[in-house]
Amino acid sequence: MIKIDLHVHTSYSPDAAINPKTLVEQLHAHPFIKAIAVTDHNTVEGYEKAQALASAYPDILIIPGVEISAINGDLIVLGVTELPPEPWSVENVIDFAKKRNALTIAAHPYRTRGLGDLTRNCDVDAIEVLNGAAPSQVNKLAESLAKEMELPGVAGSDAHKADELWTVYTEVQASSGLDEILKAIKKGMVRVGSTQKSIRF
Ligand SMILES: [Zn+2]
């Protein structure tokens, strides 16, 4: 079992300020979260930096990812180190991910820049049901959607600043191998959790 923050931005996102070095050091220092997905806006540069720094720490895992500003809303792709070709329609992004055995997540579907009810028409692998930057009512709507679509529900802090890291996490029934983790998420072998008593889910 591994606990992962599946939605983290670095300073390579235009609106975020987390230095990859700080990110890696804080992940190494964390008592129980031992993996993160770097999901910068439309770039994998932050992932590359974090991954290079993380090689010094055998106990942590950096999952490659990206949060694509698709035309109808944000989509997280995990398991890729390159961007999909444009135009970024939801279909194109999902198609790109499927061809690479990557995983797609509807990010915060009912928050700003979420896919909203359009998610129902999308062949995503999972729904972000607990977003650390979304109010609980918004997360509840996402949770209902995941149930209705019979899709796994995952969690990520959506941290843009260092003090927003690890507020929530996804517990995956897998060891620390990337392929195994992605497969387990697709199969729904997940549970979401919060490190903050104030966040209800
Ligand atoms: Zn985000």
Side-chain angles (χ1 to χ4, degrees):
M1 190 267 290
I2 184 163
K3 289 177 175 163
I4 315 173
D5 186 340
L6 282 176
H7 189 162
V8 171
H9 292 270
T10 74
S11 47
Y12 288 83
S13 286
D15 57 351
I18 306 173
N19 183 304
K21 191 166 185 285
T22 311
L23 179 62
V24 165
E25 285 171 357
Q26 290 205 14
L27 177 61
H28 171 63
H30 198 280
F32 58 86
I33 293 173
K34 286 293 144 204
I36 51 156
V38 175
T39 54
D40 279 315
H41 297 294
N42 312 318
T43 175
V44 293
E45 254 189 281
Y47 158 73
E48 286 165 358
K49 298 284 176 202
Q51 174 57 31
L53 293 160
S55 56
Y57 304 100
D59 66 320
I60 60 172
L61 174 73
I62 311 291
I63 297 175
V66 64
E67 182 170 29
I68 297 290
S69 308
I71 294 159
N72 292 305
D74 287 346
L75 266 175
I76 289 175
V77 186
L78 298 184
V80 294
T81 51
E82 56 185 342
L83 300 185
E86 295 189 54
W88 287 336
S89 64
V90 171
E91 295 73 22
N92 280 357
V93 176
I94 292 176
D95 198 46
F96 163 86
K98 281 193 188 301
K99 282 187 182 137
R100 284 157 183 80
N101 275 324
L103 187 136
T104 50
I105 302 168
H108 45 70
Y110 290 103
R111 216 194 69 198
T112 322
R113 289 290 312 151
L115 287 166
D117 286 335
L118 280 176
T119 313
R120 290 196 176 87
N121 309 324
C122 301
D123 194 9
V124 289
D125 297 302
I127 309 270
E128 188 179 61
V129 298
L130 186 57
N131 174 288
S136 65
Q137 314 90 287
V138 169
N139 283 328
K140 280 204 175 75
L141 285 174
E143 202 185 323
S144 307
L145 180 68
K147 283 205 180 100
E148 181 195 315
M149 292 180 72
E150 298 181 344
L151 284 175
V154 296
S157 66
D158 205 356
H160 285 66
K161 293 182 277 182
D163 63 1
E164 296 167 349
L165 284 162
W166 345 111
T167 50
V168 299
Y169 59 86
T170 307
E171 189 180 300
V172 183
Q173 291 300 323
S175 65
S176 58
L178 176 60
D179 282 352
E180 197 194 329
I181 289 170
L182 295 184
K183 274 187 196 139
I185 298 174
K186 276 186 197 173
K187 282 190 197 150
M189 294 156 69
V190 288
R191 228 174 55 168
V192 298
S194 165
T195 57
Q196 301 198 322
K197 288 195 180 81
S198 57
I199 293 184
R200 299 214 349 241
F201 57 91

